[in-house]
Amino acid sequence: MTRIRDDRQPSISRRLITFSVVFVSATMLVAAVILYLIVASVVREQVDRRLDTQIEGLRGALSAGAEGDAVLNASMDAPPFDRQGSGWYWQVLGSGVEITSRSLAGATIDNPPHPFDWRHTLGGEPQTLDKTAFHGETLYSRTAKAIVGEKTVDITVTSPRSALVAPARRALMWLIPVMALLGASLVAGIFWQVRYGLYPLRQLASDLSAISAGTRDRVSSAEVVELKPVTRQINRLIEQNEERLAQTRLHFANLAHALKTPVASLSMALDPANDPGGELRALVDRIDQRIRYHLSRARKIASGGINAATPIRPRVDDILLVMSRLHADRGIEAKANIPIDLKVACAAEDLDEILGNLIDNAFKWARNNVDISARKDGTDITFTIADDGPGIADTNAAEAFLPGKRLDETVPGDGFGLTIAKELVELYGGEIKLLPSENRGTVWLLVLPNATAR
């Protein structure tokens, strides 16, 4: 037999609601039973009073006749004791005495043996007989003894069982829907209470998801006292993690500078003259590839770029402000056409390094203008960085990304800027390339992942 799997995850709200529904249902059921018993007890008390009143009336109407017999001095057949088969009967039986109600039509009721009751025996208090039978019908009866002259007689007054059960059942018919409505109202109130009570937890989970997605950097302060220590500890852990990441990034940068620059210098120093077979150049190239591979993996882990969401416009404005001051004597006009809501899934420091190298390169070669633009392109952000300088020949485009390679020695630089930018772009799954320019100058196309599409 195939078992049905329950894939639902454990839930605090589901547990609270389930427990509350079971508790409310059990409470409503117990309350309904108690109310039914109370109504039944009140109805029985009312019937007892009516029967006891009839007994006392019969006692008062009995007297001893001339011959010593018990006689009834008044008619006690008021409704409902005047209707045959109604179940409302009375009779007075004793030694030589037999007086019955009109509803009995001359018949008598066989009373069962009376249980001992000292109040009934000594004081004549009415006693209940639950199982009095008459013509196949079970009656509810009350009986008491009375002394008439020198004779002791038994006075029995009965009512139908329906007089006890029917009012309680009618009350139950109203009681069930009322209790059901009350239970439904309580369950609905509990549901909203749980939803409202657990809202701060859902808000905390939403904030953590936003932090993971890179759209927030801290958990907002909780409104409830119970969660304030939790939010403080979470924010403290985030701050500690940022400090560790900053230190790790610094170590990686130092390591990259300490290893890549000597390796690049060694690669440039080797040529066919001192390495005829190329074995040393191949070995240096292999070392360089391994260093780049492991540094890129380590940097990706340290930067957490996949969860970052860095606004582009503020970073570009800051870089342009610095570049404009550095090249203020040349009068270069820089324009940035970037929507304010664009964000890239890239760490802010890495974005500064990528754009800083490209924009710095554009300012170095520009004559009058530098144009920067960015637009959404599906799940990516596409940048265009153009200058009106002399441009780069298509045959030299691939060499621009070689480490330590400088296409023009007259311009200051170390030849590693574009190499670092290309490595960082590829680290985030992006792309950087040189586009052909119709009006000369250099046009860089940069593609980085769109944070809002992730």
Side-chain angles (χ1 to χ4, degrees), residues 295-349:
L295 284 179
S296 65
R297 285 177 58 87
R299 182 162 188 154
K300 185 173 183 179
I301 295 173
S303 65
I306 195 170
N307 292 329
T310 304
I312 301 172
R313 182 61 180 269
R315 319 304 296 190
V316 173
D317 290 342
D318 291 343
I319 295 173
L320 289 179
L321 179 62
V322 174
M323 294 299 170
S324 298
R325 292 178 178 177
L326 290 176
H327 301 274
D329 57 330
R330 299 174 56 197
I332 297 176
E333 182 181 358
K335 298 179 181 179
N337 181 19
I338 302 174
I340 193 65
D341 61 335
L342 288 188
K343 297 179 180 180
V344 289
C346 174
E349 297 82 358

Side-chain angles (χ1 to χ4, degrees), residues 11 15 28 36 57 60 62 91 105 118 120 155 196 199 205 216 230 256 260 287-288 316 335 357 411 433-434:
S11 169
R15 290 182 178 183
M28 292 297 101
Y36 174 77
L62 288 174
Q91 65 182 15
W118 64 270
H120 174 73
I155 303 175
Y196 178 76
Y199 175 78
R216 292 182 65 95
V230 178
K260 294 183 66 176
I287 294 173
D288 180 61
V316 173
K335 298 179 181 179
N357 282 313
V411 179
K433 62 182 178 179
L434 183 64

Side-chain angles (χ1 to χ4, degrees), residues 26-328:
T27 302
M28 292 297 101
L29 180 61
V30 172
V33 172
I34 292 175
L35 289 176
Y36 174 77
L37 295 177
I38 291 175
V39 172
S41 176
V42 171
V43 171
R44 179 167 180 163
E45 184 179 352
Q46 295 296 324
V47 172
D48 285 348
R49 288 181 180 179
R50 186 168 188 176
L51 298 182
D52 290 348
T53 300
Q54 186 71 12
I55 289 175
E56 295 303 323
L58 289 169
R59 275 179 175 175
L62 288 174
S63 62
E67 298 179 357
D69 297 333
V71 296
L72 192 64
N73 297 324
S75 175
M76 300 299 296
D77 289 329
F81 295 99
D82 58 342
R83 297 191 301 270
Q84 295 184 14
S86 63
W88 294 92
Y89 310 126
W90 61 263
Q91 65 182 15
V92 179
L93 299 179
S95 178
V97 179
E98 184 179 309
I99 306 174
T100 61
S101 64
R102 185 187 304 173
S103 55
L104 280 174
T108 58
I109 301 171
D110 295 330
N111 290 332
H114 298 181
F116 176 78
D117 186 348
W118 64 270
R119 292 175 300 176
H120 174 73
T121 303
L122 299 178
E125 291 287 334
Q127 187 178 15
T128 299
L129 301 177
D130 276 328
K131 296 183 179 179
T132 302
F134 180 71
H135 291 175
E137 178 184 7
T138 302
L139 303 175
Y140 178 75
S141 62
R142 298 274 287 176
T143 182
K145 292 185 177 297
I147 299 176
V148 181
E150 297 179 355
K151 295 182 178 181
T152 300
V153 297
D154 290 328
I155 303 175
T156 303
V157 181
T158 69
S159 70
R161 297 290 300 180
S162 60
L164 298 176
V165 178
R169 288 181 177 175
R170 286 195 298 268
L172 186 62
M173 296 305 295
W174 285 99
L175 185 61
I176 290 176
V178 170
M179 297 301 290
L181 180 61
L182 178 60
S185 301
L186 290 175
V187 169
I190 290 169
F191 175 79
W192 288 111
Q193 178 186 9
V194 171
R195 295 280 297 178
Y196 178 76
L198 295 181
Y199 175 78
L201 287 178
R202 293 194 298 273
Q203 183 63 40
L204 179 60
S206 176
D207 289 349
L208 292 176
S209 298
I211 292 174
S212 178
T215 56
R216 292 182 65 95
D217 57 355
R218 293 292 185 275
V219 175
S220 57
S221 179
E223 298 179 357
V224 293
V225 177
E226 291 80 2
L227 291 182
K228 286 184 181 294
V230 178
T231 57
R232 285 196 296 267
Q233 290 299 324
I234 291 175
N235 287 331
R236 181 182 177 186
L237 290 175
I238 293 173
E239 292 172 359
Q240 293 177 349
N241 186 54
E242 289 178 348
E243 293 176 359
R244 295 191 186 100
L245 289 177
Q247 296 173 0
T248 305
R249 290 175 61 84
L250 179 60
H251 292 317
F252 286 143
N254 294 335
L255 183 60
H257 184 271
L259 293 177
K260 294 183 66 176
T261 301
V263 170
S265 301
L266 181 60
S267 177
M268 293 188 331
L270 294 174
D271 54 34
N274 54 25
D275 184 25
E279 293 86 357
L280 294 178
R281 282 174 288 178
L283 181 60
V284 171
D285 184 60
R286 182 178 178 184
I287 294 173
D288 180 61
Q289 290 179 1
R290 299 305 296 175
I291 291 173
R292 293 174 60 184
Y293 173 75
H294 289 291
L295 284 179
S296 65
R297 285 177 58 87
R299 182 162 188 154
K300 185 173 183 179
I301 295 173
S303 65
I306 195 170
N307 292 329
T310 304
I312 301 172
R313 182 61 180 269
R315 319 304 296 190
V316 173
D317 290 342
D318 291 343
I319 295 173
L320 289 179
L321 179 62
V322 174
M323 294 299 170
S324 298
R325 292 178 178 177
L326 290 176
H327 301 274

Side-chain angles (χ1 to χ4, degrees), residues 315-443:
R315 319 304 296 190
V316 173
D317 290 342
D318 291 343
I319 295 173
L320 289 179
L321 179 62
V322 174
M323 294 299 170
S324 298
R325 292 178 178 177
L326 290 176
H327 301 274
D329 57 330
R330 299 174 56 197
I332 297 176
E333 182 181 358
K335 298 179 181 179
N337 181 19
I338 302 174
I340 193 65
D341 61 335
L342 288 188
K343 297 179 180 180
V344 289
C346 174
E349 297 82 358
D350 290 339
L351 182 63
D352 288 343
E353 193 163 0
I354 295 170
L355 294 178
N357 282 313
L358 293 177
I359 296 175
D360 179 49
N361 197 68
F363 267 85
K364 287 179 181 179
W365 294 98
R367 292 191 177 94
N368 300 302
N369 299 309
V370 172
D371 294 323
I372 304 169
S373 63
R375 71 179 188 276
K376 290 182 181 179
D377 188 11
T379 58
D380 296 321
I381 300 293
T382 300
F383 298 80
T384 302
I385 302 173
D387 62 69
D388 58 350
I392 301 176
D394 294 341
T395 56
N396 296 330
E399 298 181 7
F401 296 105
L402 294 178
K405 184 69 175 179
R406 297 174 60 193
L407 300 180
D408 190 344
E409 299 290 340
T410 61
V411 179
D414 54 16
F416 288 98
L418 293 179
T419 303
I420 295 174
K422 186 174 185 296
E423 290 180 359
L424 288 175
V425 170
E426 293 175 350
L427 177 66
Y428 289 100
E431 181 185 6
I432 182 172
K433 62 182 178 179
L434 183 64
L435 296 180
S437 175
E438 299 178 358
N439 300 322
R440 299 184 65 183
T442 304
V443 181

